[in-house]
């Protein structure tokens, strides 16, 4: 083991237990360096542009993975730091706004918003709550329950209505009204079990620490709140149906979720590990295996 000064000069060398050190194995990861650089550059430019326009956005993350293997190709978090000068820059990094040491891709928990609606369509059709042909008339404000009125985002922004909307239309234009109505019709068990099977609120299996988050359901609400606030109501289910309420997931979970949808319900373990080879590259010591974590049977009607 060598002891260095800050400029790289070796000042002392010694062996642990008197044994001469040996070169370790080489770990090859799945991240595509060129894609990673493009992603990090774009994250930085977009966030800085938003801040220049007066936005209070703190940061962002992006994740990309191979659909058929779960191998992570891109995992970017902004703001970030230079690993090559991490030690020298450490105090400055700590003083930098918006927490560059916080890995938003694996540990940032966010409401999924309208990305959750794909899960709702699968759950709605395959539980029998709706069919692909079921149409709902978007009135702008969902007011079935007195004292609880929620609006379609399109209506709020433009004053216009989507009118008659089926599942495919609702996904295309992200019609909140359709999903409010679906959230009212569907059983919570069908809604929650589908999201779980698609990987939402579940560990992805990556080799780095990741936060799990939680799906909006009665059990989650009891854990998060106390007293009168801990009860589960139709209002919770209706807002959860558009990816709000207590839905809270990481970007890597959402990437794994969309890959699972692309695989028609087959969910793969996410991984950063490609292989481990010996120091001289003569032997493969370990190779990443494609691992199926779960499978959800999605009907052709729902999938199409």
């Amino acid at each position: 083991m060598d002891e260095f000064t800050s400029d790289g000069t070796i000042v002392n060398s010694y062996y642990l237990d008197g044994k001469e050190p040996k070169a370790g194995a080489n770990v090859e990861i799945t991240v595509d360096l060129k894609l990673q650089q493009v992603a990090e550059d774009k994250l930085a430019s977009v966030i800085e542009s938003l801040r220049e326009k007066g936005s209070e956005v703190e940061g962002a993350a992006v994740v990309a993975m191979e659909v058929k293997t779960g191998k992570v190709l891109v995992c970017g978090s902004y703001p970030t730091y230079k690993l090559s000068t991490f030690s020298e820059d450490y105090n400055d990094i700590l003083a930098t706004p918006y927490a560059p040491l916080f890995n938003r891709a694996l540990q940032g928990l966010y409401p999924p918003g309208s990305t959750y609606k794909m899960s709702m369509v699968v759950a709605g059709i395959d539980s029998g709550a709706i069919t692909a042909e079921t149409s709902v008339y978007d009135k702008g404000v969902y007011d079935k329950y007195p004292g609880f009125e929620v609006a379609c985002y399109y209506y709020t922004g433009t004053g216009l209505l989507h009118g008659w909307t089926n599942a495919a239309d609702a996904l295309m234009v992200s019609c909140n009204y359709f999903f409010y109505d679906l959230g009212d019709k569907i059983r919570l068990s069908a809604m929650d079990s589908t999201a779980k099977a698609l990987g939402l609120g579940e560990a992805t299996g990556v080799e780095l620490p990741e936060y799990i988050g939680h799906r909006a359901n009665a059990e989650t609400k009891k854990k998060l709140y106390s007293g009168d606030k801990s009860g589960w109501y139709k209002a919770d289910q209706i807002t959860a149906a558009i990816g709000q309420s207590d839905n809270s997931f990481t970007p890597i979970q959402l990437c794994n979720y969309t890959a699972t949808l692309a695989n028609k319900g087959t969910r793969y373990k996410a991984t950063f590990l490609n292989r481990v080879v010996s120091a001289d590259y003569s032997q493969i010591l370990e190779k990443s295996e494609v691992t199926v974590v779960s499978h959800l049977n999605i009907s052709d009607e729902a999938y199409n």
Side-chain angles (χ1 to χ4, degrees):
M1 182 179 293
D2 294 327
E3 185 178 347
F4 296 88
T5 62
S6 60
D7 64 1
T9 303
I10 298 176
V11 295
N12 192 17
S13 296
Y14 54 92
Y15 301 148
L16 295 176
D17 300 326
K19 296 179 180 179
E20 185 176 351
K22 295 181 179 180
N26 299 289
V27 177
E28 297 179 355
I29 63 173
T30 59
V31 173
D32 184 305
L33 183 58
K34 290 182 179 179
L35 285 179
Q36 180 75 18
Q37 190 62 62
V38 169
E40 290 193 3
D41 290 346
K42 193 63 176 178
L43 275 180
S45 65
V46 169
I47 298 304
E48 292 305 325
S49 175
L50 287 171
R51 288 176 185 167
E52 288 172 4
K53 295 175 183 177
S55 172
E56 296 181 357
V57 61
E58 293 186 2
V62 58
V63 182
M65 66 173 57
E66 286 184 348
V67 169
K68 297 297 182 183
T69 66
K71 291 183 178 181
V72 178
L73 302 176
V74 170
C75 188
S77 178
Y78 185 83
T80 187
Y81 54 88
K82 288 184 179 180
L83 187 58
S84 59
T85 57
F86 177 76
S87 297
E88 299 93 314
D89 300 340
Y90 186 69
N91 289 332
D92 291 335
I93 292 170
L94 290 180
T96 301
Y98 310 120
L101 293 176
F102 176 44
N103 189 331
R104 289 167 167 82
L106 274 65
Q107 298 176 316
L109 293 170
Y110 310 101
S114 292
T115 60
Y116 186 80
K117 292 173 180 175
M118 298 180 287
S119 177
M120 285 297 301
V121 165
V122 173
I125 292 176
D126 285 349
S127 70
I130 58 171
T131 70
E133 288 74 36
T134 300
S135 290
V136 173
Y137 188 77
D138 172 15
K139 299 188 298 181
V141 177
Y142 190 79
D143 57 0
K144 179 177 178 179
Y145 298 98
F148 174 72
E149 290 84 28
V150 281
C152 186
Y153 187 77
Y154 182 60
Y155 177 75
T156 302
T158 66
L160 303 175
L161 305 175
H162 286 131
W164 287 105
T165 308
N166 62 23
D169 297 330
L171 283 178
M172 180 175 65
V173 299
S174 195
C175 177
N176 281 358
Y177 192 99
F178 180 92
F179 289 97
Y180 291 143
D181 186 70
L182 177 54
D184 181 55
K185 292 175 179 174
I186 197 171
R187 300 188 311 274
L188 174 61
S189 58
M191 176 175 162
D192 188 59
S193 62
T194 299
K196 175 183 173 69
L198 292 172
L200 296 177
E202 300 293 305
T204 67
V206 288
E207 297 82 4
L208 294 176
E210 62 172 329
Y211 288 176
I212 306 304
H214 39 71
R215 296 180 302 279
N217 55 37
E219 183 181 3
T220 293
K221 199 173 181 190
K222 284 182 180 178
K223 289 180 180 178
L224 296 179
Y225 306 98
S226 60
D228 294 340
K229 293 181 179 180
S230 65
W232 182 260
Y233 305 101
K234 272 292 184 179
D236 296 303
Q237 194 159 310
I238 289 168
T239 53
I242 64 164
Q244 300 297 329
S245 183
D246 292 314
N247 282 312
S248 186
F249 314 124
T250 61
I252 195 169
Q253 260 184 28
L254 288 172
C255 185
N256 197 215
Y257 154 70
T258 49
T260 302
L261 284 167
N263 282 320
K264 200 177 180 181
T266 298
R267 181 162 68 97
Y268 292 101
K269 173 185 176 294
T271 182
F272 285 107
L273 179 65
N274 188 28
R275 64 177 188 168
V276 180
V277 295
S278 58
D280 60 0
Y281 282 86
S282 64
Q283 298 179 47
I284 297 176
L285 304 178
E286 184 178 347
K287 194 172 182 180
S288 178
E289 298 292 337
V290 176
T291 304
V292 175
V293 177
S294 64
H295 180 77
L296 174 68
N297 290 320
I298 301 176
S299 69
D300 289 340
E301 181 184 11
Y303 194 68
N304 293 334

